[in-house]
Amino acid sequence: MKYSGEKLQLRAIETVASLMIAAAKTAPKGCGRDSMESLIIDGTDKDALAAEMRKIGEETRQPFYIRDAENVELSACVVLFGAQETYRGLPYCNYCGAGDCFGANKSGAHCAFAVGDLGIAMGSAVSVAAAHHIDNRIMFSAGKAALSLGLFSEKVFLGYGVPLSVSEKSPYYDRPAVAPASSAAAPGCNAK
């Protein structure tokens, strides 16, 4: 039996995406509580995500959403990570700025542990992709679009996406900086 390089590359991406989910799951969590949600999208779901990113970019006049949407379109899949709202009940914390978990819940403040845990988990996940030479980039824009599309459960308040690709040159770096559409627009993100 003969396998094409393209088919094997796609299989490698799928395997690494699954390993990224496992790495995020096993990453350390505050109080040992997992408040993270993760999923992998490809095909029409990935295309819908890119379309939503483009729409957000046009509506908010933030060109980096459109640039990132183009990156997602070139990707085989996107791994999505979200933080669910949770309160740990820790005394003397106040990292959320609301005093304690009761105050956070009452005021709608988000648990700093949920946010920090998500960051640590994504760091573990992208290190797996890097170790397997799979092009990747953490994207705020993909997470916002995923939230807008309702891809996460209702408990998720913060999301990020990590598109994956195998190509001769990573599509996610050395990208052109983008400027706001007009001086009235917010400065946005010009990170390459």
Side-chain angles (χ1 to χ4, degrees), residues 170-188:
S170 174
Y172 314 123
Y173 290 91
D174 301 325
R175 306 177 305 168
V178 293
S182 73
S183 59

PDB file of all heavy atoms in Angstrom, residues 170-188:
ATOM      1  N   SER A 170       5.708  28.257   7.918  1.00  0.00           N
ATOM      2  CA  SER A 170       4.553  28.484   8.785  1.00  0.00           C
ATOM      3  C   SER A 170       3.752  29.694   8.295  1.00  0.00           C
ATOM      4  O   SER A 170       4.305  30.780   8.110  1.00  0.00           O
ATOM      5  CB  SER A 170       5.002  28.731  10.230  1.00  0.00           C
ATOM      6  OG  SER A 170       3.876  29.095  11.013  1.00  0.00           O
ATOM      7  N   PRO A 171       2.441  29.506   8.111  1.00  0.00           N
ATOM      8  CA  PRO A 171       1.615  30.643   7.699  1.00  0.00           C
ATOM      9  C   PRO A 171       1.324  31.617   8.842  1.00  0.00           C
ATOM     10  O   PRO A 171       0.779  32.695   8.609  1.00  0.00           O
ATOM     11  CB  PRO A 171       0.317  29.974   7.220  1.00  0.00           C
ATOM     12  CG  PRO A 171       0.254  28.697   7.966  1.00  0.00           C
ATOM     13  CD  PRO A 171       1.682  28.265   8.181  1.00  0.00           C
ATOM     14  N   TYR A 172       1.712  31.251  10.065  1.00  0.00           N
ATOM     15  CA  TYR A 172       1.325  32.033  11.236  1.00  0.00           C
ATOM     16  C   TYR A 172       2.365  33.047  11.692  1.00  0.00           C
ATOM     17  O   TYR A 172       2.110  33.801  12.624  1.00  0.00           O
ATOM     18  CB  TYR A 172       1.002  31.094  12.413  1.00  0.00           C
ATOM     19  CG  TYR A 172       0.123  29.940  12.030  1.00  0.00           C
ATOM     20  CD1 TYR A 172       0.533  28.634  12.241  1.00  0.00           C
ATOM     21  CD2 TYR A 172      -1.113  30.151  11.430  1.00  0.00           C
ATOM     22  CE1 TYR A 172      -0.273  27.567  11.885  1.00  0.00           C
ATOM     23  CE2 TYR A 172      -1.921  29.086  11.062  1.00  0.00           C
ATOM     24  CZ  TYR A 172      -1.498  27.797  11.293  1.00  0.00           C
ATOM     25  OH  TYR A 172      -2.285  26.742  10.940  1.00  0.00           O
ATOM     26  N   TYR A 173       3.520  33.053  11.077  1.00  0.00           N
ATOM     27  CA  TYR A 173       4.571  33.985  11.480  1.00  0.00           C
ATOM     28  C   TYR A 173       5.097  34.732  10.271  1.00  0.00           C
ATOM     29  O   TYR A 173       4.860  34.339   9.136  1.00  0.00           O
ATOM     30  CB  TYR A 173       5.690  33.248  12.235  1.00  0.00           C
ATOM     31  CG  TYR A 173       5.196  32.791  13.579  1.00  0.00           C
ATOM     32  CD1 TYR A 173       4.634  31.532  13.747  1.00  0.00           C
ATOM     33  CD2 TYR A 173       5.212  33.649  14.676  1.00  0.00           C
ATOM     34  CE1 TYR A 173       4.113  31.128  14.969  1.00  0.00           C
ATOM     35  CE2 TYR A 173       4.701  33.257  15.900  1.00  0.00           C
ATOM     36  CZ  TYR A 173       4.157  31.993  16.039  1.00  0.00           C
ATOM     37  OH  TYR A 173       3.634  31.622  17.243  1.00  0.00           O
ATOM     38  N   ASP A 174       5.799  35.808  10.524  1.00  0.00           N
ATOM     39  CA  ASP A 174       6.268  36.703   9.460  1.00  0.00           C
ATOM     40  C   ASP A 174       5.090  37.184   8.625  1.00  0.00           C
ATOM     41  O   ASP A 174       5.180  37.314   7.419  1.00  0.00           O
ATOM     42  CB  ASP A 174       7.310  36.020   8.565  1.00  0.00           C
ATOM     43  CG  ASP A 174       8.524  35.569   9.337  1.00  0.00           C
ATOM     44  OD1 ASP A 174       8.906  36.286  10.284  1.00  0.00           O
ATOM     45  OD2 ASP A 174       9.072  34.510   9.017  1.00  0.00           O
ATOM     46  N   ARG A 175       3.981  37.432   9.310  1.00  0.00           N
ATOM     47  CA  ARG A 175       2.791  37.934   8.638  1.00  0.00           C
ATOM     48  C   ARG A 175       2.878  39.453   8.573  1.00  0.00           C
ATOM     49  O   ARG A 175       3.525  40.082   9.401  1.00  0.00           O
ATOM     50  CB  ARG A 175       1.540  37.531   9.410  1.00  0.00           C
ATOM     51  CG  ARG A 175       1.454  36.052   9.657  1.00  0.00           C
ATOM     52  CD  ARG A 175       0.261  35.649  10.481  1.00  0.00           C
ATOM     53  NE  ARG A 175       0.166  36.346  11.747  1.00  0.00           N
ATOM     54  CZ  ARG A 175      -0.908  36.331  12.528  1.00  0.00           C
ATOM     55  NH1 ARG A 175      -1.972  35.674  12.161  1.00  0.00           N
ATOM     56  NH2 ARG A 175      -0.918  36.980  13.679  1.00  0.00           N
ATOM     57  N   PRO A 176       2.227  40.057   7.610  1.00  0.00           N
ATOM     58  CA  PRO A 176       2.275  41.519   7.553  1.00  0.00           C
ATOM     59  C   PRO A 176       1.547  42.139   8.738  1.00  0.00           C
ATOM     60  O   PRO A 176       0.493  41.642   9.156  1.00  0.00           O
ATOM     61  CB  PRO A 176       1.558  41.849   6.237  1.00  0.00           C
ATOM     62  CG  PRO A 176       0.707  40.661   5.947  1.00  0.00           C
ATOM     63  CD  PRO A 176       1.426  39.487   6.542  1.00  0.00           C
ATOM     64  N   ALA A 177       2.138  43.174   9.281  1.00  0.00           N
ATOM     65  CA  ALA A 177       1.457  43.918  10.349  1.00  0.00           C
ATOM     66  C   ALA A 177       0.241  44.573   9.729  1.00  0.00           C
ATOM     67  O   ALA A 177       0.235  44.932   8.546  1.00  0.00           O
ATOM     68  CB  ALA A 177       2.391  44.959  10.943  1.00  0.00           C
ATOM     69  N   VAL A 178      -0.814  44.712  10.505  1.00  0.00           N
ATOM     70  CA  VAL A 178      -2.021  45.339   9.990  1.00  0.00           C
ATOM     71  C   VAL A 178      -2.271  46.626  10.732  1.00  0.00           C
ATOM     72  O   VAL A 178      -1.984  46.751  11.917  1.00  0.00           O
ATOM     73  CB  VAL A 178      -3.245  44.400  10.105  1.00  0.00           C
ATOM     74  CG1 VAL A 178      -3.085  43.208   9.188  1.00  0.00           C
ATOM     75  CG2 VAL A 178      -3.466  43.945  11.525  1.00  0.00           C
ATOM     76  N   ALA A 179      -2.795  47.592  10.017  1.00  0.00           N
ATOM     77  CA  ALA A 179      -3.135  48.875  10.611  1.00  0.00           C
ATOM     78  C   ALA A 179      -4.649  48.971  10.692  1.00  0.00           C
ATOM     79  O   ALA A 179      -5.355  48.384   9.872  1.00  0.00           O
ATOM     80  CB  ALA A 179      -2.576  50.011   9.758  1.00  0.00           C
ATOM     81  N   PRO A 180      -5.161  49.717  11.659  1.00  0.00           N
ATOM     82  CA  PRO A 180      -6.608  49.915  11.717  1.00  0.00           C
ATOM     83  C   PRO A 180      -7.113  50.544  10.430  1.00  0.00           C
ATOM     84  O   PRO A 180      -6.378  51.250   9.728  1.00  0.00           O
ATOM     85  CB  PRO A 180      -6.790  50.869  12.896  1.00  0.00           C
ATOM     86  CG  PRO A 180      -5.551  50.726  13.712  1.00  0.00           C
ATOM     87  CD  PRO A 180      -4.458  50.390  12.727  1.00  0.00           C
ATOM     88  N   ALA A 181      -8.387  50.297  10.110  1.00  0.00           N
ATOM     89  CA  ALA A 181      -8.968  50.800   8.870  1.00  0.00           C
ATOM     90  C   ALA A 181      -8.986  52.322   8.824  1.00  0.00           C
ATOM     91  O   ALA A 181      -8.888  52.907   7.764  1.00  0.00           O
ATOM     92  CB  ALA A 181     -10.373  50.250   8.694  1.00  0.00           C
ATOM     93  N   SER A 182      -9.112  52.969   9.984  1.00  0.00           N
ATOM     94  CA  SER A 182      -9.089  54.427  10.034  1.00  0.00           C
ATOM     95  C   SER A 182      -8.518  54.852  11.374  1.00  0.00           C
ATOM     96  O   SER A 182      -8.402  54.062  12.296  1.00  0.00           O
ATOM     97  CB  SER A 182     -10.492  55.000   9.856  1.00  0.00           C
ATOM     98  OG  SER A 182     -11.256  54.790  11.024  1.00  0.00           O
ATOM     99  N   SER A 183      -8.202  56.120  11.485  1.00  0.00           N
ATOM    100  CA  SER A 183      -7.640  56.612  12.748  1.00  0.00           C
ATOM    101  C   SER A 183      -8.665  56.576  13.872  1.00  0.00           C
ATOM    102  O   SER A 183      -8.321  56.628  15.028  1.00  0.00           O
ATOM    103  CB  SER A 183      -7.113  58.046  12.567  1.00  0.00           C
ATOM    104  OG  SER A 183      -8.171  58.890  12.147  1.00  0.00           O
ATOM    105  N   ALA A 184      -9.969  56.456  13.522  1.00  0.00           N
ATOM    106  CA  ALA A 184     -11.002  56.389  14.537  1.00  0.00           C
ATOM    107  C   ALA A 184     -11.100  54.995  15.153  1.00  0.00           C
ATOM    108  O   ALA A 184     -11.688  54.818  16.203  1.00  0.00           O
ATOM    109  CB  ALA A 184     -12.344  56.777  13.942  1.00  0.00           C
ATOM    110  N   ALA A 185     -10.528  54.013  14.466  1.00  0.00           N
ATOM    111  CA  ALA A 185     -10.603  52.633  14.966  1.00  0.00           C
ATOM    112  C   ALA A 185      -9.617  52.435  16.099  1.00  0.00           C
ATOM    113  O   ALA A 185      -8.594  53.117  16.191  1.00  0.00           O
ATOM    114  CB  ALA A 185     -10.308  51.653  13.837  1.00  0.00           C
ATOM    115  N   ALA A 186      -9.932  51.488  16.952  1.00  0.00           N
ATOM    116  CA  ALA A 186      -9.011  51.148  18.037  1.00  0.00           C
ATOM    117  C   ALA A 186      -7.742  50.573  17.453  1.00  0.00           C
ATOM    118  O   ALA A 186      -7.748  50.007  16.354  1.00  0.00           O
ATOM    119  CB  ALA A 186      -9.680  50.142  18.967  1.00  0.00           C
ATOM    120  N   PRO A 187      -6.601  50.690  18.134  1.00  0.00           N
ATOM    121  CA  PRO A 187      -5.331  50.266  17.559  1.00  0.00           C
ATOM    122  C   PRO A 187      -5.252  48.777  17.260  1.00  0.00           C
ATOM    123  O   PRO A 187      -4.533  48.366  16.373  1.00  0.00           O
ATOM    124  CB  PRO A 187      -4.298  50.665  18.611  1.00  0.00           C
ATOM    125  CG  PRO A 187      -5.068  50.931  19.858  1.00  0.00           C
ATOM    126  CD  PRO A 187      -6.450  51.269  19.458  1.00  0.00           C
ATOM    127  N   GLY A 188      -5.967  47.942  17.970  1.00  0.00           N
ATOM    128  CA  GLY A 188      -5.953  46.511  17.661  1.00  0.00           C
ATOM    129  C   GLY A 188      -4.621  45.851  17.935  1.00  0.00           C
ATOM    130  O   GLY A 188      -3.795  46.351  18.686  1.00  0.00           O
TER     131      GLY A 188
END
